[in-house]
Amino acid sequence: MSARLSAAPPPSVRVRAPGKVNLALRVGPVGSDGYHPLATIFQAVSLFEEVTATQVAPGSGISLTVSGPQADAVPTDESNLAWRAAALLADRTGLAADVALHITKGVPVAGGMAGGSADAAAALVACDALWEAGVPRPELVEMAAELGADVPFSLLGHTAVGTRRGDLLTPAMTRGEFHWCFGTQRVGLSTPSVFRRFDELAGPSTPDVAPAADDTELMHALRAGDAVALGEALHNDLQGPALDLRPELAAVLDVAMDSGALGVVVSGSGPTVAALGRSRQHALALGAAWTAADVVDAVWCATGPAPGTQIITSITR
């Protein structure tokens, strides 16, 4: 009996969190705090990060491993957002920061789709459950906002309007399912460099951030489940700066539009390009067109909206 008990796997919790696409992203002038105010509409998509938190011996500290596509591009030290999430939760709860984290990648790396933010959200939920910390959800959301502007949305999922730095969220009603194809590049774009280019291109004339009339149409399209209207309303203030830094992305946009995409937009700070299809089959066809034209390094198809951070499995002792 004791041999069987000793062979049992250690307690662990596996959590899944979604990537996202910005359906609309409007950027205001940089503030004295160095951040740009945002008005954005997020949609979570069915590309997921999974984080498994496993109990380790007291005093072992935090360790991190990564597997899946582009795993070699992900840091495995304290600079990783999942590591930082575990450390922050331990600090706030007074618990020992002893955990082995494993990330299984499912969201493109450095592609403007918040894969790192999804890791942080998943790590918060996984460690909270593993350590039986019982942190109320509002407090987890506050910690998520400290880790990064996109992390709270990874917790929430579905579709939401984000203001302030994108971290102040209001859930948005949607109907139906939307079919996306994402074209990614091996070489990412630095988010700070895209914002710097935005400031350089806009100069002192940058308007105060505010949702535009097109965003009202976008919200109507979401509530009606109207993919055609949604495609027409997609918008990203960072698309111009991203294209200025990476002119070759224009070909990605053009190929998708020539292939009948309902709408095409650079996702977040790029360089990933999101194309909205009429159906699942059409989204696959958009990816095939990109591959045939050799304008992307990889293609990912997904649907939205997707749920937020969820516990998938939990092994207790």
Side-chain angles (χ1 to χ4, degrees):
M1 180 68 73
S2 60
R4 287 184 181 178
L5 288 174
S6 64
S12 66
V13 178
R14 182 164 60 97
V15 172
R16 187 172 73 176
K20 59 84 181 170
V21 59
N22 294 84
L23 307 177
L25 176 57
R26 300 189 184 275
V27 183
V30 64
S32 58
D33 60 358
Y35 291 100
H36 295 77
L38 306 177
T40 186
I41 302 170
F42 295 109
Q43 183 164 95
V45 296
S46 59
L47 297 175
F48 297 100
E49 299 282 279
E50 289 190 356
V51 173
T52 302
T54 302
Q55 185 178 37
V56 294
S60 297
I62 300 172
S63 64
L64 178 65
T65 53
V66 185
S67 63
Q70 301 174 288
D72 57 345
V74 179
T76 56
D77 58 15
E78 60 272 11
S79 66
N80 187 289
L81 273 176
W83 183 307
R84 289 170 53 195
L88 178 62
L89 182 68
D91 180 66
R92 292 298 165 80
T93 58
L95 297 170
D98 296 323
V99 65
L101 299 173
H102 180 76
I103 297 172
T104 303
K105 295 294 300 175
V107 176
V109 174
M113 295 185 69
S117 296
D119 293 337
L124 279 176
V125 172
C127 290
D128 178 66
L130 180 70
W131 296 336
E132 299 179 342
V135 176
R137 189 74 169 195
E139 290 184 30
L140 282 181
V141 172
E142 288 179 13
M143 281 187 262
E146 289 184 44
L147 292 162
D150 289 339
V151 183
F153 178 69
S154 294
L155 284 173
L156 179 67
H158 301 286
T159 306
V161 177
T163 54
R164 201 164 56 188
R165 291 171 54 199
D167 58 314
L168 189 62
L169 300 173
T170 303
M173 292 184 62
T174 63
R175 195 175 160 196
E177 190 174 59
F178 299 95
H179 302 280
W180 296 96
C181 190
F182 300 97
T184 63
Q185 310 290 333
R186 278 194 199 90
V187 179
L189 261 175
S190 158
T191 297
S193 69
V194 176
F195 274 100
R196 280 195 300 272
R197 194 66 186 125
F198 170 83
D199 292 333
E200 291 165 0
L201 292 173
S205 61
T206 307
D208 289 336
V209 65
D214 286 346
D215 296 340
T216 302
E217 294 302 313
L218 192 154
M219 295 299 290
H220 286 323
L222 288 171
R223 285 194 291 270
D226 187 339
V228 174
L230 176 62
E232 292 174 350
L234 298 176
H235 175 83
N236 183 1
D237 279 351
L238 295 181
Q239 182 163 303
L243 288 171
D244 191 71
L245 292 170
R246 297 280 288 277
E248 66 272 19
L249 294 179
V252 186
L253 299 168
D254 291 342
V255 168
M257 291 305 296
D258 290 345
S259 301
L262 300 180
V264 190
V265 69
V266 171
S267 180
S269 57
T272 297
V273 172
L276 181 61
R278 295 186 300 271
S279 63
R280 189 183 305 269
Q281 291 72 24
H282 186 220
L284 291 169
L286 293 172
W290 275 336
T291 301
D294 195 26
V295 292
V296 300
D297 291 320
V299 166
W300 311 62
C301 290
T303 57
T309 304
Q310 295 178 307
I311 295 176
I312 304 302
T313 60
S314 179
I315 300 173
T316 58
R317 181 169 289 170

